[in-house]
Every structure is written in structure tokens, then in C-alpha cells.
Amino acid sequence: MPTEPQALDALVVGAGPAGIGTALALAAIPDLTFGVLERGQIGQTFLDWPAEQTFLTPSFTGNGFGATDLNAVHPETSPAFSLGVDYLTGPQYAKYLRSVAAHFRVPVLDDAEVTAVARHEQGFEIRCRRGPVVARSLVWAGGEFHHPLKPRISGSGFADLAHTAEAWEPRAGRVLVIGGYESGVDLACHHAERGAHVTVVDGSTPWDAGTGSDPSFRLAPRSRIRLATALDTGRLDLVDAHANGIKRAGTEWTVSLDNGTRLRVDSRPIAATGYGPGLGPVDKLFARRPDGWPELDEDDQSTLVPGLFLSGPAIRHAGLKFCFIYKFRQRFAHVARVIGERAGKDVGALEAWRTAGMLTDDLSCCGVECAC
Ligand SMILES: Cc1cc2nc3c(=O)[nH]c(=O)nc-3n(C[C@H](O)[C@H](O)[C@H](O)COP(=O)(O)OP(=O)(O)OC[C@H]3O[C@@H](n4cnc5c(N)ncnc54)[C@H](O)[C@@H]3O)c2cc1C
């Protein structure tokens, strides 16, 4: 006779920084039963990064003085300490995640893509190729990297997307990058440094620092330094306009802009136009905000389905974006505490996350701007 699988208190989907970080907080709660399902292996997204890409938030071991390494997912760890690197590559960060998961004995099942999630009398039934799992709470931490947003323009199929290896391959002559935030500037500098003549088009001109200090809206210092160096070569132009169509004509590509001009380039345009929330099989279990991002309650929980939480860069609260690790990690211990309290467990150990500056309950304090 088939038997019902025993329900876990919590299941986490995805073993990137959001999934491993949330699981580490769950692991601090005595007697809580939980696990992580991962489509590939721990840190898969970072293993899939094009080889040229590195972190832009530096790692530094400030942990002992309450300034926990910006890229750490557990208060007692630091990628800078374990790897001796400040700007990590993707594979280096994957190695850090693997070592943290092993050290704290986080139960992760690799090669276990979640393909369906259904409501169950005890919570959720989660289906993956390794069999069904039942859990009272579910944390979706599937990431965004595999859900890039193509530009919504005619001929967008002619563009190479920023996260692919093609976008980073050597290009001669005139190169066009659509999108001028971190990925677009990274690519533009990469090609300009190698001799190409690069134009970046973006009508929202993210390269203009403005007055806000939030790195989700302004370029990181290292990107601004690289941008200034590339501009000095005379091989980089920044254009305040949106692309609205791509056509191919023989060996050239023509990109029309909303300022009425057309640009001709010698290779497929590159689209660095961001990522979507990537909710996979739980897509329909979240309501949407007017801007298309998932609607969450104050506990990062679906407003449609209690017990379903979101962890990672797709978290939005009012005007706040949690798109860096140092931001979304502020919610690991909060979500773990809600899950632990519902399961009737002692969640006192999670105060260590607050001491380490890794727990923010009151989101009203996150919008503070720097005075200088
Ligand atoms: C080039 C680049 C540079 C960046 N630099 C920085 C930086 O300097 N600092 C910073 O803070 N952030 C940086 N980011 C952003 C950061 O990488 C992401 O915010 C981070 O990876 C998000 O973590 P995550 O765990 O939510 O997602 P991911 O790291 O993408 O992990 C999600 C995991 O879920 C798995 N998964 C997905 N769907 C399923 C499924 N159905 N079943 C099972 N498993 C599934 C995936 O295989 C993956 O392992 C950068 C991003 C890019 C692309």
C-alpha cells in the first residue's frame, strides 16, 4: 500500500544564496524538520555565469565587528575569509555555498527540479523527479537568472542576452548594448576594453548617479570607475534613448531608437534588460503588484497562499528592492522565525542573525539615504 510521505515543517526550493541562507536559519531552530531541493547542484546559477563575470559587491571579513561580509549567508561565515578573494567569480561563490552547506549540515537534494506544487491538507505537496515531498511551509528560492527579460521590441530575437556566453565573446567594430545598469555597463566596458566601439542605449540613464544612495538604483563604485576609464578611451558612447526595434540587413544590424535615430552595428545587439521574478511552478500562487513583482505580506509570504514564502532578489516591499545578497539575507531569519513559531519551536537562536546585522524586521528603516 502506498503511504503518505511524512510532512516536513519546511521545504526550500533552490540552493543559491537565498535557499541556502534560509535553510541555514531554519537549521538554527532545534527539532525543525526541513530540506532543500535543487534542480542542479548547490550554487548552480553561479556555475552557469559567463566566465568573465564577477561579483560587484566586495567581500571583506568585518564579521568580528558586526559588519558581516556583504556576501555571507550565515553570520559566522565570510567568503573573503574562506576563499581569500574580494571580488568573487561565480564558481568561487558556488564553492563558498557548498562549504557552508556542508559545514552546517544543510540537507540538500541535488538534481531534484521541482516541477509542480499543489495544496495539500498538511500544507503543500511538492513534486520533483525524486518523488513527492509534503511540507507545512514552502520557501521559494528559485532565483531569477534563468528568467531574463527580453526587450519588448520588434526583432528582439536578434539580440544576445547578457547572461549568455555569446554576449561576452570577442566582437570587432561597432557594438550595441541595450540597457545601462550593472550588466549592461559590465558588458560595454568588457567590449570597449578589448577594442570595440560600444554604444549603450537606455532612456532611464542609470549611469547618471542622481542623488539616491541605494545601489539598486545607482551603479556600484567599481562599475563607475570602469565606466570612466572606458569613456576615456573614446570608444564608448552612452545614449539617452530606448531601443524600439532591431532589424538585420546583410552583415549589419540596425537598431531604431525612440529619439528617431538609427544605429548600425557589426554584431548582434546585446540585451542587458534585467530579469523577471522566475517563480516557476508557484507562479500562480502569488498575486502581482502593479509593477508585475510578487505581492508579499510583511513576512514575505504570498498574499494568496499562507505558508508559501519567497526568498531572494524578487522580494519587493513598497519602493524597496532586495536585489543584492546583503539585502535579501535580512529576511532569512525573519522567515525562519515565522515558520519556527508556527511549528511551535524555540526560535531564540535566530537572534544571532540580528546581532550580526543580518535580520531586519522593520523595513521602514531600509530607505535611509547617505548624507555624504
Ligand atoms: C553577473 C551578475 C553579477 C552579480 N553580482 C552580484 C553582487 O556582486 N552582489 C550581489 O549581492 N548580487 C549580485 N548578483 C545578483 C545575485 O547573483 C542574485 O541576486 C542571486 O544569485 C540570487 O540568489 P538566489 O538564491 O535567489 O538565486 P540563484 O542563485 O539563481 O539560485 C536559485 C537556485 O534555484 C534553483 N532552481 C530554480 N528553479 C528550480 C526548481 N524548479 N526546482 C529546483 N531548483 C530550482 C537553481 O538551479 C538555482 O541553483 C549578480 C547577478 C549577476 C547575474
Side-chain angles (χ1 to χ4, degrees):
M1 287 287 287
T3 53
E4 275 284 296
Q6 209 180 350
L8 297 171
D9 288 317
L11 183 82
V12 179
V13 181
I20 294 296
T22 306
L24 288 162
L26 293 170
I29 302 172
D31 303 326
L32 194 89
T33 56
F34 70 97
V36 182
L37 296 180
E38 164 56 45
R39 173 168 54 196
Q41 51 179 299
I42 294 175
Q44 186 63 53
T45 291
F46 295 87
L47 298 172
D48 292 343
W49 274 15
E52 295 81 359
Q53 296 201 282
T54 65
F55 269 60
L56 50 101
T57 50
S59 271
F60 196 90
T61 314
N63 301 40
F65 282 74
T68 306
D69 188 316
L70 282 181
N71 302 312
V73 294
H74 184 281
E76 293 164 21
T77 69
S78 158
F81 169 69
S82 54
L83 297 168
V85 179
D86 46 8
Y87 291 99
L88 288 96
T89 64
Q92 286 168 337
Y93 196 68
K95 185 176 178 189
Y96 159 75
L97 290 178
R98 276 198 307 275
S99 64
V100 175
H103 181 83
F104 290 97
R105 296 196 171 85
V106 175
V108 181
L109 196 57
D110 284 353
D111 193 18
E113 177 169 9
V114 170
T115 49
V117 171
R119 303 295 302 274
H120 182 277
E121 58 188 10
Q122 295 195 67
F124 301 91
E125 183 175 279
I126 299 100
R127 297 214 162 253
C128 74
R129 60 193 294 272
R130 307 280 206 110
V133 181
V134 174
R136 282 181 269 278
S137 294
L138 177 63
V139 182
W140 181 261
E144 304 175 336
F145 186 72
H146 296 283
H147 304 266
L149 296 177
K150 284 186 182 172
R152 289 192 185 166
I153 59 175
S154 63
S156 64
F158 286 123
D160 287 330
L161 299 179
H163 75 298
T164 61
E166 289 75 25
W168 296 85
E169 281 169 0
R171 290 169 186 238
R174 299 161 298 175
V175 171
L176 184 93
V177 178
I178 302 170
Y181 186 49
E182 290 293 354
S183 297
V185 166
D186 193 1
L187 273 154
C189 293
H190 169 80
H191 290 298
E193 284 158 8
R194 285 157 184 77
H197 287 77
V198 185
T199 304
V200 183
V201 297
D202 193 328
S204 53
T205 65
W207 49 79
D208 285 336
T211 52
S213 55
D214 185 341
S216 293
F217 298 94
R218 79 188 259 137
L219 293 176
R222 200 173 65 134
S223 307
R224 287 158 63 195
I225 293 167
R226 280 184 77 201
L227 190 63
T229 307
L231 286 168
D232 282 346
T233 66
R235 291 195 302 274
L236 177 62
D237 291 314
L238 304 174
V239 176
D240 174 2
H242 279 306
N244 54 19
I246 306 172
K247 282 187 181 159
R248 179 166 189 180
T251 56
E252 288 187 338
W253 286 258
T254 305
V255 180
S256 50
L257 306 182
D258 63 1
N259 63 7
T261 60
R262 283 166 197 266
L263 295 172
R264 289 183 175 174
V265 289
D266 299 306
S267 56
R268 288 164 64 88
I270 300 169
T273 37
Y275 297 89
L279 298 173
V282 295
D283 188 68
K284 298 278 183 292
L285 304 184
F286 286 92
R288 296 302 166 123
R289 300 171 12 138
D291 62 4
W293 292 91
E295 185 88 61
L296 302 174
D297 71 7
E298 66 276 12
D299 296 324
D300 300 348
Q301 189 174 217
S302 165
T303 53
L304 299 179
V305 181
L308 172 61
F309 298 84
L310 180 65
S311 181
I315 298 173
R316 299 282 186 282
H317 286 288
L320 294 175
K321 288 186 184 181
F322 288 72
C323 58
F324 286 98
I325 293 161
Y326 78 90
K327 290 184 170 188
F328 63 71
R329 74 181 185 186
Q330 297 298 323
R331 307 296 287 169
F332 296 160
H334 181 87
V335 166
R337 187 176 58 206
V338 174
I339 291 172
E341 282 173 349
R342 285 182 190 169
K345 309 293 184 191
D346 176 1
V347 297
L350 293 170
E351 282 307 299
W353 271 249
R354 193 189 305 284
T355 309
M358 279 181 61
L359 172 54
T360 304
D361 300 313
D362 176 8
L363 298 172
S364 66
C365 61
C366 300
V368 173
E369 294 289 353
C370 297
C372 53

